[in-house]
Amino acid sequence: MTGRTRRYEKRYDDLDGLFLDQAAFAAIAGTRGSEVAYQVDEFRPSDNAGDIIFGTSTLYAGRVGTEFIFTRGHIHAVSDRPEIYFCQSGHGIMLMELADGTVRVEEMTPNSVVYVAPHWIHRSVNVGSEPLVTLFCYPADAGQDYEIIARAGGMRDLIVDDGAGGWKQVPNPRYRPRNTAPGHV
């Protein structure tokens, strides 16, 4: 993306502990640990309320065991902030979850738009064979909380290979329900 103010990359080594099949992850990390799993290019004019951050996310294709490659995922630190994703290329899933465990899944194909409403934890999953490239946009004061997923042992559901060339949604056996009492997310 030309004109970006920031780029960050997540390598396979950075994704340690996120996948259910740790033996499969260790095998991949042993040979591809320094390889980029996904990158984000953004234009951030400021962090002020009323401004907008936008950019592109490129999530490369692959699997760890039966799980498709995904982004770490997050909820906005100011959780009442939404986000929009426009799929430019590839085939993916936007996996979304509320703090109470309610899950929503939206398929992403070229020219589709996914609206991530306020208070939804979200992560992109590449279920295709080519890079999943999305354009994103969200309020500049939103921030990100990446630890909400880790604290619960992952998201409630996983997106895995269905064995027939597609994907399916299955329960995550490591998931621990979040505290949904007022003041907790």
Side-chain angles (χ1 to χ4, degrees), residues 21-116:
D21 187 339
Q22 284 295 288
F25 178 81
I28 289 170
T31 59
R32 299 173 60 191
S34 63
E35 187 177 316
V36 174
Y38 67 95
Q39 67 193 36
V40 175
D41 293 295
E42 70 176 25
F43 178 73
R44 180 184 297 256
S46 79
D47 290 328
N48 299 328
D51 227 336
I52 294 176
I53 295 170
F54 67 92
T56 58
S57 172
T58 304
L59 176 58
Y60 296 99
R63 287 195 334 244
V64 174
T66 60
E67 281 181 272
F68 290 98
I69 295 295
F70 52 73
T71 61
R72 287 186 312 162
H74 64 276
I75 190 170
H76 292 144
V78 181
S79 71
D80 67 353
R81 302 300 193 255
E83 190 162 357
I84 296 170
Y85 288 83
F86 173 75
C87 182
Q88 295 180 301
S89 63
H91 181 204
I93 300 297
M94 182 61 68
L95 179 59
M96 296 174 276
E97 181 183 329
L98 287 173
D100 69 3
T102 301
V103 173
R104 196 172 109 216
V105 173
E106 295 285 336
E107 200 155 4
M108 295 187 289
T109 56
N111 297 317
S112 66
V113 174
V114 173
Y115 174 70
V116 178

Side-chain angles (χ1 to χ4, degrees), residues 7-23:
R7 167 180 271 186
Y8 67 88
E9 299 173 335
K10 291 296 172 193
R11 300 180 187 287
Y12 279 91
D13 284 340
D14 298 325
L15 305 178
D16 190 18
L18 300 182
F19 293 92
L20 184 61
D21 187 339
Q22 284 295 288

Side-chain angles (χ1 to χ4, degrees), residues 90-177:
H91 181 204
I93 300 297
M94 182 61 68
L95 179 59
M96 296 174 276
E97 181 183 329
L98 287 173
D100 69 3
T102 301
V103 173
R104 196 172 109 216
V105 173
E106 295 285 336
E107 200 155 4
M108 295 187 289
T109 56
N111 297 317
S112 66
V113 174
V114 173
Y115 174 70
V116 178
H119 308 291
W120 285 85
I121 302 159
H122 51 287
R123 107 175 343 152
S124 299
V125 183
N126 186 341
V127 297
S129 58
E130 62 184 71
L132 174 65
V133 181
T134 55
L135 175 76
F136 60 84
C137 179
Y138 62 93
D141 65 342
Q144 286 93 14
D145 173 357
Y146 295 102
E147 294 305 311
I148 190 169
I149 296 172
R151 288 189 304 266
M155 293 186 78
R156 193 194 80 187
D157 289 347
L158 306 173
I159 303 299
V160 300
D161 186 328
D162 70 358
W167 61 274
K168 64 182 177 180
Q169 181 179 341
V170 298
N172 175 0
R174 296 186 306 177
Y175 178 76
R176 296 179 304 277

